Amino acid sequence: MPEGEHAGIGRLAATIERLRREVQEAQQAADGRALIELARGILIERLQCGPTQAAQQLATLAEEAGVSPLELAADLINQAARDRLAAVASEFLVEAPPGETRSSAVRLRAAETGIVHAPDTQAVAVSLLEHALGPLGATAVAVWAAGPDASLSLAGYAGFSSEEARRWHYVPPGVTTAARKALTDRSTVWFDSLRHAGLPTIGHRHLSGGRVTVPAGTGGRLLGVLEIAWPHDLEPPSPQIRKQVEALAELVAHTLEAPSGELPVPAGDAYSELVDLADGLHDPALVLTPHLDGQGHLVDFHISHANGPFLDPAGRPRGEVVGTMLLETYPLLAGDGGIYEKVQHVYATGEPFRADRMALTTLVDQVPLSVVMRLSLSRQGGGVLVVWAILDETTRLARLLQHAQRLGRIGGFEEDAVLGEITWNEQLFELYGLERSAAPIPIDRLAEHAHPDDVPEVGRFLRALLHHRRPASLTFRLQRADGISRHIRVIAEPVFDDRATLLAIRGAFQDISAQHWTEVALAATQDQLVQTEQQAAEQNRLALQLQQAIMPPTRGPMDAFDLQIAVRYRPAEKEHLVGGDWYDAIVLPSKQILLSVGDVAGHGIEAATGMVILRNALRGLAVTGAGPAQLMSWLNLVTHQMIDNITATAVCALYNPETRVLRWARAGHLPPILIREDRAAELPMIGGILLGAVSEADFEEGRIELQREDTLLMYTDGLIERTDTTLEDAQRHLLVSASRRAPSLEERLDHLLANNRSDTDDDTCLIGVGLR
């Protein structure tokens, strides 16, 4: 290219760069016009001058300082305000270059101005992304408003599509999302990558990079959550960036209006709805309202009202409790996990708290006193309703005894031999089929209510009890007036004084009809044992056929991209021990390779069918493109909700041929083994509970980049489990055996099967993966 043309292109590039800077400076000036006007006002007030002189003074000071008027305006506002934004900007001043510091201050103040003048929360979100978050690399923002029931509503967004916003306009209570984690934890949550977090949220399919969710609240109460999305993974943020984001969330909190009926409840307002609600309760109740310091921070709760049934555990009159601070009156409520922390959480999030038994410790004459109470906390309006009932242990034990008698169908009686009075409990009336108002039946008339065939036995029982005056027992059939016959066991004993005078007859009746008919059914069941054994043998054969159809004992190696995959399956030697071990290795539509092994607890047809369900479910779930941790979470739901009485362990891995990165997760299973340069070692033991134990569980995810000539082993415990050694010793033996060099992958697997034979006769699944 001629030299003249080179020069022309260079001048054109310089002109474009100059124009770009001018446009950027013009945009910044337009965005910061409100900041400049505010700074002029500060100068007018301080210098006692007019608007023209203030503008000239601002321009002169900026020129002398070598900064733009907009940057100087932000500095003046920070010095005058001395608020949270000023503190954040001053911290940047220590850690960052001057230009970057002033740029941060301008962004924060411009964002504040945009929020103040925004007509609604939607405009607030747009202003946040444009002025403050866009320069940090963020591409989307969502503002969530928290409802009184801890639900989340999308109040504003920017950078997300309208279709995505419609789908996420409301998140019910109890649904775990990225924003809800910040709400329930009451702290800022940083996700370096949304792909690894495994939490659903707005735009998670299209923006799976870094996320941060920040609770937005004032005065100890969370009004919503600020969620910020990046298109790329995030490095750990600096403390200055963290505080800048939290300062923006504090600005957002002031724009979220409280829903209808959520206005703060003034302390001592006897006519408020919350006080009326407390007065209408039969249990003792307190009304708490927040007490804030001069900066608007929650420091304690004011005991605004106590209802009539309220009893102070320390015995103080109600008037001495009302009007005080919660921690001043009950200082021992503070502490990790204590009642005060529960009150804070309920007030902040709106999530109610219930506990049937909880210890409360208070001071009585400077001596700690602990009582057991039933506690209920709920946020009502701007206050917290505390309902507590101190449990009387004597009354509680009596109630437990009453429940035990009801559950055991036991009726007690006592006949006073001196006064002739007869006392029955409620259960004995029910056994006889009598109303509570009916007269109790004396024990000596028991034969009148017995089956005719049992009358002789009843007579012997009464002679032993009433004539020989010794304890006696009897099993007979009680004939009730309504025609129902019940099988009853009665036990009775005489009670004497010191001079051997009969004082009373005490005893108990127990309905054993269910036990009687169980014995009858057991006798009939014994006649069917032979048939049952035959059916069990047939089920074992069916389970074995199902297992062999799904997973044949041998299978040739499989090549997938740069991987060679080989599998081995060793079934149990005894047919009645057919288990639920499985393995799988398939190429997904996304070109990733799914590798998995699992072990369903137990043996027989249930274990085999459970294995088929989980193996096929994991295949179907993997097509969604979710990561291993999310797949384990979904598979746990399948195990808990769709398969009765089944638990299982599993390990699942996804291999990306383009990056050679293997991501994996485990659910109570032994971790995979990596063989690199003839040295075998287990992958880190990441967290993951076994499948089906609980309805909802979180699973961690591990990552490793495979190298050429690496070998990965995944196996079930049937490979190493022995009764004569510990699992740790068996695992060490497996690592030594796996480190032995082998000519091929298949020969390595055969060597492992031959040299790690367990003695529990359990199924064994083994997958070997070699990177060429």
Side-chain angles (χ1 to χ4, degrees), residues 65-145:
V67 298
S68 69
L70 182 59
E71 292 170 337
L72 181 62
D75 288 341
L76 287 174
I77 295 171
N78 285 337
Q79 293 175 7
R82 298 188 180 277
D83 56 4
R84 177 70 177 274
L85 296 185
V88 171
S90 65
E91 291 190 11
F92 267 89
L93 183 62
V94 176
E95 301 291 337
E100 183 179 341
T101 303
R102 296 190 181 96
S103 177
S104 173
V106 171
R107 288 200 306 269
L108 290 175
R109 288 303 176 186
E112 179 187 35
T113 303
I115 290 174
V116 170
H117 294 89
D120 52 28
T121 309
Q122 174 61 31
V124 167
V126 173
S127 178
L128 277 176
L129 184 61
E130 177 183 357
H131 294 100
L133 299 175
L136 296 180
T139 55
V141 62
V143 177
W144 302 91

Side-chain angles (χ1 to χ4, degrees), residues 541-663:
R541 285 192 294 271
L542 176 60
L544 183 59
Q545 292 173 359
L546 177 62
Q547 187 183 61
Q548 293 177 347
I550 296 298
M551 293 181 301
T554 60
R555 179 178 174 182
M558 179 181 72
D559 291 333
F561 299 101
D562 53 355
L563 290 185
Q564 184 184 26
I565 305 171
V567 297
R568 291 292 185 271
Y569 174 68
R570 183 174 66 197
E573 295 181 0
K574 298 179 181 179
E575 291 187 356
H576 70 277
L577 292 179
V578 173
D581 290 25
W582 89 81
Y583 64 82
D584 204 0
I586 60 171
V587 179
L588 300 174
S590 62
K591 305 305 180 184
Q592 295 193 80
I593 300 170
L594 171 68
L595 305 167
S596 66
V597 295
D599 185 0
V600 176
H603 299 86
I605 188 67
E606 290 187 359
T609 54
M611 171 269 291
V612 175
I613 293 174
L614 294 183
R615 182 174 182 264
N616 292 338
L618 183 57
R619 278 191 170 191
L621 292 171
V623 176
T624 63
Q630 182 64 68
L631 291 177
M632 287 291 98
S633 179
W634 288 338
L635 197 62
N636 176 68
L637 286 175
V638 173
T639 308
H640 189 270
Q641 298 181 4
M642 298 181 61
I643 311 176
D644 294 334
N645 302 320
I646 285 291
T647 58
T649 65
V651 60
C652 164
L654 288 174
Y655 174 74
N656 189 333
E658 296 182 359
T659 62
R660 297 182 182 173
V661 171
L662 182 112
R663 300 156 55 203

Side-chain angles (χ1 to χ4, degrees), residues 509-548:
F509 288 70
Q510 183 179 18
D511 187 348
I512 60 171
S513 300
Q515 177 182 342
H516 170 78
W517 293 116
T518 299
E519 294 173 354
V520 173
L522 180 60
T525 301
Q526 291 176 347
D527 297 334
Q528 302 176 0
L529 284 178
V530 175
Q531 180 181 357
T532 303
E533 291 177 357
Q534 293 175 347
Q535 291 175 349
E538 185 65 24
Q539 284 187 346
N540 287 333
R541 285 192 294 271
L542 176 60
L544 183 59
Q545 292 173 359
L546 177 62
Q547 187 183 61
Q548 293 177 347

Side-chain angles (χ1 to χ4, degrees), residues 223-241:
L223 303 176
V225 176
L226 173 64
E227 182 170 355
I228 309 166
W230 279 266
H232 51 76
D233 293 356
L234 288 178
E235 297 293 333
S238 65
Q240 291 76 23
I241 291 294

